[in-house]
Amino acid sequence: MVAQVIVDVVHTNVARPFSYLIPKGMPVCTGMRVLVPLGRRQVDGFVVDIMPKEQADVPFEKLKPIVRCLDEYPALLTQLLELAEELALECHCPLSETLRLMLPAAMRTGRIQLKKVPYAQLNTGVDALNEAETQKRSAKRATLLRLLASGDAKPVAELGQLVNNPRDALKALEQAGLIRLYEREVFRAPDGAEDIQPTAAPPMTAEQTDALNTMLPSLRAGTGAFLLHGVTGSGKTEVYLAMVQETLALGKSAIILVPEIALTPQMVRWFRSRFGPETAVLHSRLTDGQRYDEWRRIRLGHARVVVGARSAIFAPLENLGLIVIDEEHEQTYLSDKHPRYDARRIAISRARREGAAVILSSATPSILSFAMARRGDYTLVEMPHRVQNRPMPEVTIVDMRKELDGGNRSIFSRLLIQKLTECLENGQQAMLFLNRRGYNTFVSCRKCGYVVKCEQCDISMTLHREQGEDGPQELRCHMCGNVQQPPDICPECGSKYIRYFGSGTQRVEEEMHKLFPHVKTVRMDIDTTRERDAHARLLAQFGSGEAKVLIGTQMIAKGLDFPKVTLVGVVAADMTLNLPDYRAQERTFQLITQVAGRAGRAQQPGQVIVQTYKPEDPCINAAAAQDYRAFFEMEFARRRAGLYPPFTLLARLLIESPREMDAKMTCEQLYNTLQTYLLSHPKQKKRTLFIRSDAAPVKRIRGQFRYHVLLKMFDHPDIAPLLALMSELSAVSNESCRIYCEVNPAALM
Ligand code: ADP
Ligand code: ZN
Ligand code: ZN
């Protein structure tokens, strides 16, 4: 027989499968990792197919044999192999790249070994107690025999705690043929996996029961896609838990995707306490060894419930019955690395392929998902109330322009200061939220709220500084690449209080300490959570009540459930509104609603203060009213009028090269090729709104110069050949440049 092998080398010359001979007796099967000769080297590869030698595309005499298998079992399940093939087509990238997504990195690099520990076990047929009697000369050997009398295998380390230095005695017992010593694989558990108390499910609320009754029949039938729209605090987690419970009862397995940042110990604990060691956890804070071992526990069927971040959608579960995507609106489900996959689309595709039900869930569904639900692609399930009739938090909008007029130049409004004082005096806790995303900022007027926007895109311009702190500044549009000088005085009102907006979390913390010198705070942002366990540690400080105020970026918005939080302050709500992205409105609405949802989750009702320079903004108002429907209708209409997705799509060819000239020239060539194509294809041209070539908004990343050809087009079947051409063009990456084809990328960097 002959194996078709995709070699694990990123080079377009080897993107197709190669044929290798399977030596007699070698247990090669589809999905196996193998070592194969390639030129003068030996490389790793994946077996993607097996066929009789007559069907191979290479004459039999020329076939080289596989050197050896790399694992004892196929690392790739057939379903996942098919998924990788589909994804390679969809993401316009070589199969070897999507295959890599399916395995823990440690497995490919081979740096992490299986962890084995010594075990001792009584040989069958040995009467241990009798033998112990005969061990007159060694009390140690006698004790060991008694400890092993049950016949169960025991770790040598455990025996060592009861008997000093048991090694020699065990060896002697082994030589006497009484016991056997061997190494057994153990799994490195993620931190905190031990000592979790089991809990039982609380009685369901009526809304939870209704939601379950709608979804359970589909789960049992192995089909169905749902959009679960439940307000913050409506008890969605409990619904997932009940669905997973039923999935296990059906003998099937489940994946629960959670945004990386929301994969808090709190969330994980819920699942572990309900499903014990059946739970596996996959997130980026695991060590390579832990991740590898969790992956193997899943692959070997020891764990059937996987709670994980984006890439856990590729977890090697067999018999998949359910996929839940919590906070489905989150950007983290779009990969920010190549291949740029969307975990939600993969979930839908994987579920269909393997006969599983899917639940997309959120208090603030993405415009796209809600539109799809309305169109009938998903069944909409709603949970409009909080559990136990707890009220939604009360939201107050504060006009920050009036604060400046009234002589308050602090970043806290007078109302926020007053509410903070009350909250702290009552012994309750507060969260101060500041959305500061990315490294760039926008330019706005503190007097009138004016923001510099691109004339062509109606998207705020981003301030860029070339070379270091004192370099020249310019404003750029991240949508179309338009460049402009930053103004010194406000074009709207003539004030000189126009400048780049950047009050970071650190400034909020300083201001907080000035106003409340004795109040302990914790700050959570990218800077303070670099260490592996920082996240858990900071949350514990807040959870225990040691710190009274939590200050953070959007990461604190997600999924946290702290009963003593009664006040949430959104320090600068406009920050997301002015992101250089057509999704700015959607993000703002989501973030305000989500953070507001952190307040008043237990007995005490919650209060939310939203500070803004644009108190009239409809999207901030819809968020304050927590009116998702109103927001959706408004935003959907705006997208249609402004020709934004889902009505149109953005596609680009991104060119990266260590030499700027090469990137630029390749970019121009590609631009010309596409232009020429459009000139001779009127159908495609008609659907294309614009085509541009330019330096990418972030021109250099890790030493690579970046240029792109950007196209905006109507999302219409006619453009398929144009997208196919772009994909083809991206496949011919040459020596000096790498070319990527991206369709609707998460961010246009
Ligand atoms: P969501 O994810 O919808 O914002 P959660 O799942 O975090 O809401 O639930 C909010 C709070 O309500 C949690 O503290 C949870 O323990 C509690 N809760 C959920 N379901 C019930 C129930 N049936 N009875 C009592 N409390 C519940
Ligand atoms: Zn623009
Ligand atoms: Zn102004």
Side-chain angles (χ1 to χ4, degrees):
M1 297 294 274
V2 166
Q4 297 291 311
V5 175
I6 291 280
V7 293
D8 194 6
V9 174
V10 174
H11 200 292
T12 37
N13 293 342
V14 294
R16 64 180 182 85
F18 290 111
S19 300
Y20 288 95
L21 196 67
I22 303 177
K24 265 214 170 57
M26 194 185 280
V28 174
C29 57
T30 307
M32 201 93 148
R33 293 192 318 137
V34 290
L35 190 68
V36 291
L38 182 75
R40 260 164 294 176
R41 291 193 294 158
Q42 290 193 339
V43 297
D44 292 359
F46 298 97
V47 177
V48 293
D49 204 359
I50 290 180
M51 53 179 61
K53 61 177 186 273
E54 295 74 32
Q55 285 173 22
D57 53 353
V58 186
F60 183 61
E61 321 76 64
K62 288 204 176 157
L63 282 177
K64 288 184 192 159
I66 291 174
V67 181
R68 64 183 166 84
C69 297
L70 291 170
D71 312 300
E72 286 158 21
Y73 48 85
L76 284 168
L77 298 172
T78 323
Q79 312 82 289
L80 289 177
L81 189 61
E82 287 167 9
L83 200 62
E85 281 165 355
E86 179 186 308
L87 191 58
L89 279 179
E90 203 169 286
C91 289
H92 317 279
C93 73
L95 183 55
S96 61
E97 281 186 31
T98 55
L99 286 171
R100 286 177 177 193
L101 295 172
M102 313 282 154
L103 300 178
M107 189 161 187
R108 288 184 44 243
T109 58
R111 274 200 305 271
I112 299 285
Q113 301 300 322
L114 304 189
K115 189 172 168 189
K116 294 189 171 169
V117 297
Y119 265 74
Q121 187 172 23
L122 201 67
N123 281 333
T124 37
V126 174
D127 183 345
L129 298 179
N130 231 344
E131 292 291 340
E133 291 301 311
T134 64
Q135 298 289 339
K136 295 271 187 294
R137 281 187 305 128
S138 163
K140 212 186 248 187
R141 273 182 248 161
T143 314
L144 286 168
L145 279 170
R146 288 195 188 97
L147 288 170
L148 292 167
S150 72
D152 294 340
K154 293 240 160 75
V156 172
E158 191 183 309
L159 296 172
Q161 285 175 354
L162 305 166
V163 179
N164 269 335
N165 296 323
R167 293 245 159 207
D168 289 344
L170 285 170
K171 284 249 164 62
L173 289 172
E174 186 185 31
Q175 264 158 24
L178 297 174
I179 67 164
R180 127 189 132 89
L181 291 172
Y182 65 103
E183 303 233 291
R184 206 194 240 194
E185 243 179 71
V186 291
F187 298 96
R188 282 154 284 213
D191 301 336
E194 306 85 14
D195 52 69
I196 292 206
Q197 299 303 314
T199 54
M204 292 276 157
T205 66
E207 275 182 16
Q208 285 169 331
T209 310
D210 284 349
L212 281 172
N213 287 342
T214 311
M215 298 192 288
L216 282 173
S218 290
L219 180 69
R220 294 186 184 119
T223 169
F226 299 92
L227 179 63
L228 176 60
H229 175 212
V231 298
T232 55
S234 58
K236 296 187 287 296
T237 315
E238 205 50 59
V239 174
Y240 313 156
L241 291 167
M243 288 291 282
V244 172
Q245 187 96 54
E246 177 66 13
T247 308
L248 293 180
L250 292 167
K252 295 184 176 182
S253 58
I255 298 176
I256 295 86
L257 290 192
V258 179
E260 177 74 49
I261 230 72
L263 252 178
T264 54
Q266 205 176 17
M267 185 70 163
V268 171
R269 209 174 303 126
W270 266 327
F271 281 88
R272 285 224 182 90
S273 68
R274 206 64 68 78
F275 306 113
E278 285 266 34
T279 319
V281 179
L282 294 172
H283 58 70
S284 67
R285 293 182 305 277
L286 299 180
T287 64
D288 279 356
Q290 288 171 335
R291 199 192 330 272
Y292 184 21
D293 287 1
E294 284 293 87
W295 184 89
R296 281 187 310 127
R297 284 204 319 123
I298 301 165
R299 177 66 188 86
L300 300 174
H302 300 184
R304 290 188 297 156
V305 181
V306 177
V307 185
R310 178 176 66 221
S311 62
I313 194 62
F314 302 117
L317 285 167
E318 286 183 276
N319 223 344
L320 189 64
L322 175 70
I323 303 176
V324 177
I325 304 188
D326 186 35
E327 315 281 6
E328 70 84 27
H329 62 277
E330 280 299 329
Q331 289 301 305
T332 60
Y333 292 122
L334 290 169
S335 172
D336 50 1
K337 294 190 273 290
H338 290 278
R340 291 182 188 262
Y341 64 88
D342 179 346
R344 286 163 298 200
R345 292 185 58 158
I346 293 174
I348 300 287
S349 161
R350 186 169 179 191
R352 193 165 299 150
R353 199 183 283 285
E354 300 180 36
V358 185
I359 305 174
L360 303 178
S361 171
S362 176
T364 53
S366 62
I367 295 293
L368 188 61
S369 296
F370 202 81
M372 286 174 74
R374 243 188 9 180
R375 207 170 67 188
D377 294 351
Y378 308 138
T379 306
L380 186 63
V381 180
E382 299 199 88
M383 293 172 41
H385 301 101
R386 286 191 158 181
V387 297
Q388 297 175 335
N389 296 321
R390 291 172 198 161
M392 295 302 287
E394 179 196 318
V395 183
T396 314
I397 298 177
V398 175
D399 184 348
M400 289 305 279
R401 294 172 306 190
K402 292 206 181 119
E403 295 296 313
L404 193 64
D405 286 346
N408 176 16
R409 296 186 56 181
S410 152
I411 49 176
F412 293 157
S413 61
R414 288 158 294 186
L415 184 66
L416 182 55
I417 295 172
Q418 181 204 326
K419 293 291 175 193
L420 265 170
T421 313
E422 284 170 19
C423 166
L424 295 168
E425 273 171 3
N426 291 338
Q428 288 152 348
Q429 288 181 305
M431 287 183 181
L432 294 178
F433 167 78
L434 191 100
N435 185 52
R436 172 135 194 222
R437 199 173 147 273
Y439 28 84
N440 293 314
T441 44
F442 58 93
V443 171
S444 87
C445 171
R446 287 194 66 190
K447 189 143 176 69
C448 75
Y450 172 84
V451 173
V452 184
K453 289 196 165 174
C454 174
E455 286 158 7
Q456 294 167 49
C457 308
D458 195 32
I459 272 172
S460 47
M461 306 277 281
T462 298
L463 194 73
H464 284 251
R465 210 191 282 270
E466 305 272 325
Q467 288 109 29
E469 281 288 298
D470 310 313
Q473 294 186 345
E474 62 180 28
L475 290 169
R476 274 168 171 253
C477 170
H478 280 193
M479 198 79 177
C480 72
N482 192 3
V483 174
Q484 187 180 316
Q485 288 309 303
D488 292 323
I489 57 162
C490 174
E492 195 75 23
C493 74
S495 114
K496 61 180 185 344
Y497 285 111
I498 187 160
R499 50 169 206 157
Y500 45 96
F501 205 111
S503 49
T505 41
Q506 218 161 351
R507 245 196 87 194
V508 174
E509 193 178 36
E510 281 166 21
E511 192 101 6
M512 186 65 211
H513 289 167
K514 243 187 271 160
L515 289 167
F516 302 95
H518 304 298
V519 173
K520 191 165 159 46
T521 61
V522 260
R523 176 160 66 91
M524 270 180 81
D525 53 27
I526 307 169
D527 296 327
T528 62
T529 51
R530 276 217 183 94
E531 280 166 55
R532 205 161 61 84
D533 58 350
H535 204 242
R537 188 166 40 82
L538 294 174
L539 285 179
Q541 268 176 33
F542 190 62
S544 70
E546 182 193 335
K548 298 293 177 209
V549 180
L550 182 64
I551 299 166
T553 48
Q554 68 246 45
M555 65 166 67
I556 67 171
K558 265 139 240 168
L560 297 183
D561 189 24
F562 290 112
K564 286 186 104 174
V565 173
T566 54
L567 178 67
V568 165
V570 181
V571 178
D574 313 357
M575 281 201 170
T576 39
L577 205 52
N578 294 304
L579 281 178
D581 191 324
Y582 71 89
R583 283 160 293 205
Q585 278 76 1
E586 184 176 358
R587 300 259 175 84
T588 305
F589 178 84
Q590 287 163 351
L591 285 163
I592 296 178
T593 315
Q594 291 287 346
V595 280
R598 298 312 115 206
R601 293 171 71 84
Q603 272 62 37
Q604 304 284 340
Q607 272 213 342
V608 183
I609 309 290
V610 176
Q611 303 191 152
T612 173
Y613 287 94
K614 274 195 203 145
E616 69 289 344
D617 183 88
C619 132
I620 290 181
N621 281 281
Q626 321 216 15
D627 188 345
Y628 178 80
R629 287 291 180 126
F631 170 72
F632 175 82
E633 297 301 343
M634 183 170 77
E635 179 62 12
F636 200 65
R638 192 189 70 87
R639 297 263 182 105
R640 190 192 324 241
L643 296 176
Y644 293 115
F647 300 97
T648 58
L649 58 82
L650 274 175
R652 72 167 175 176
L653 288 173
L654 175 68
I655 301 102
E656 290 188 349
S657 169
R659 283 188 300 270
E660 180 163 14
M661 244 357 253
D662 290 353
K664 202 169 172 179
M665 273 170 56
T666 307
C667 180
E668 271 158 28
Q669 281 164 14
L670 291 169
Y671 174 77
N672 291 335
T673 309
L674 287 170
Q675 273 291 19
T676 313
Y677 172 87
L678 285 178
L679 284 177
S680 56
H681 292 78
K683 249 192 185 170
Q684 279 74 35
K685 184 157 173 48
K686 198 176 118 212
R687 305 286 174 194
T688 306
L689 286 151
F690 69 64
I691 170 166
R692 253 181 220 121
S693 72
D694 199 0
V698 184
K699 195 169 153 189
R700 197 171 172 204
I701 293 182
R702 279 172 241 106
Q704 297 282 320
F705 286 93
R706 311 166 78 243
Y707 279 76
H708 67 190
V709 186
L710 183 65
L711 290 91
K712 185 171 178 176
M713 33 199 157
F714 287 104
D715 198 351
H716 186 277
D718 276 355
I719 60 165
L722 177 54
L723 289 176
L725 172 64
M726 289 179 72
S727 167
E728 240 170 74
L729 291 171
S730 72
V732 293
S733 296
N734 55 28
E735 296 277 293
S736 59
C737 295
R738 287 212 62 184
I739 305 169
Y740 302 99
C741 175
E742 298 178 349
V743 179
N744 276 342
L748 208 58
M749 289 209 303

